[in-house]
Amino acid sequence: MICRKCDTESIQIAINYLRRGKVVVLPTDTVYGFSGIVDGRHYSFHTFEKICSIKNRAEGKNFIQLIAKPEDVKKYTRDVIPDYLLEKWPGPLSIIVHTFAEDGNFETTAFRCPGDEWLRKVIEGCGAPIYSTSVNRSGNTVLDNIQQIKDEFGKEVELIIDDGDKKGGVPSTIVAIEENGEVKVIRQGAVTIGN
């Protein structure tokens, strides 16, 4: 299904598809992304594996998880995130933190609270974070033309939200909170962070 972002029902349509465990293409504040609801206590749809299959990507590398509100990140980590980073949210900044793994150990997960209000409403309506990763086959150029996205992936995803072309979209800045609490800049992107 194709739905325009400007349509009145687009938020609820996106929520409905995501809450049924479907993989969808959503516009973000940076580029278009493959999205699916994050598996956990409330959902177990294996959307991570579905997205990996569509992208032809090995499953060892995690996807960014989008959250509705900056304070939501505290549900998933005990890391202390400096105020100057949290003040960049909502916005195109991804923060890698230590999260609680099912086996009781820690793993790392990147979170972003997107600057796009429409997208935050979708996430809030899902009641859980959603995965987001660029729309492309693994190793290929990220697609920013909506018609190319429809042509290549229209039969592989359940829903595409059309927000026009995203030409020149700058990816998010990525930082990591290290075990000693220091902040390491992994990638400078749309938000400038001093190192």
Side-chain angles (χ1 to χ4, degrees):
M1 177 180 180
I2 308 293
C3 176
R4 293 181 306 164
K5 181 182 175 184
C6 61
D7 290 347
T8 308
E9 298 296 317
S10 64
I11 290 174
Q12 193 58 51
I13 289 170
I15 291 168
N16 291 344
Y17 274 80
L18 287 161
R19 291 189 71 168
R20 294 197 332 260
K22 307 301 183 183
V23 172
V24 304
V25 171
L26 300 179
T28 74
D29 46 350
T30 53
V31 295
Y32 278 97
F34 287 119
S35 290
I37 207 156
V38 172
D39 294 335
R41 292 175 310 192
H42 302 297
Y43 300 100
S44 185
F45 294 126
H46 306 288
T47 55
F48 179 87
E49 291 83 355
K50 292 177 188 175
I51 296 170
C52 287
S53 177
I54 293 169
K55 284 181 69 86
N56 294 330
R57 173 169 141 168
E59 293 183 9
K61 190 176 176 187
N62 287 332
F63 299 132
I64 289 173
Q65 296 185 20
L66 302 182
I67 54 178
K69 296 177 283 197
E71 57 268 27
D72 288 349
V73 72
K74 294 175 182 175
K75 299 176 186 176
Y76 308 104
T77 183
R78 290 189 185 144
D79 287 352
V80 176
I81 302 172
D83 288 341
Y84 76 89
L85 291 181
L86 290 175
E87 287 167 3
K88 304 288 186 182
W89 278 354
L93 170 67
S94 299
I95 304 175
I96 300 172
V97 296
H98 295 88
T99 52
F100 316 111
E102 290 182 7
D103 61 5
N105 292 317
F106 287 98
E107 56 189 8
T108 56
T109 305
F111 289 94
R112 184 165 87 241
C113 181
D116 186 281
E117 183 181 7
W118 179 94
L119 185 54
R120 293 199 307 275
K121 287 180 178 178
V122 170
I123 300 162
E124 186 171 16
C126 288
I130 62 173
Y131 294 117
S132 185
T133 180
S134 58
V135 176
N136 61 312
R137 307 285 181 196
S138 186
N140 291 355
T141 303
V142 175
L143 297 182
D144 55 14
N145 178 283
I146 189 62
Q147 190 57 53
Q148 288 180 332
I149 291 171
K150 292 174 184 177
D151 291 345
E152 181 154 357
F153 295 107
K155 293 181 179 176
E156 296 184 65
V157 298
E158 301 283 343
L159 171 70
I160 296 174
I161 299 291
D162 182 345
D163 190 32
D165 294 345
K166 292 275 189 183
K167 298 243 178 245
V170 180
S172 67
T173 296
I174 302 174
V175 300
I177 307 297
E178 302 198 302
E179 288 187 17
N180 62 5
E182 302 230 346
V183 175
K184 180 179 180 181
V185 177
I186 307 297
R187 178 181 74 194
Q188 289 281 11
V191 171
T192 302
I193 301 292
N195 206 0

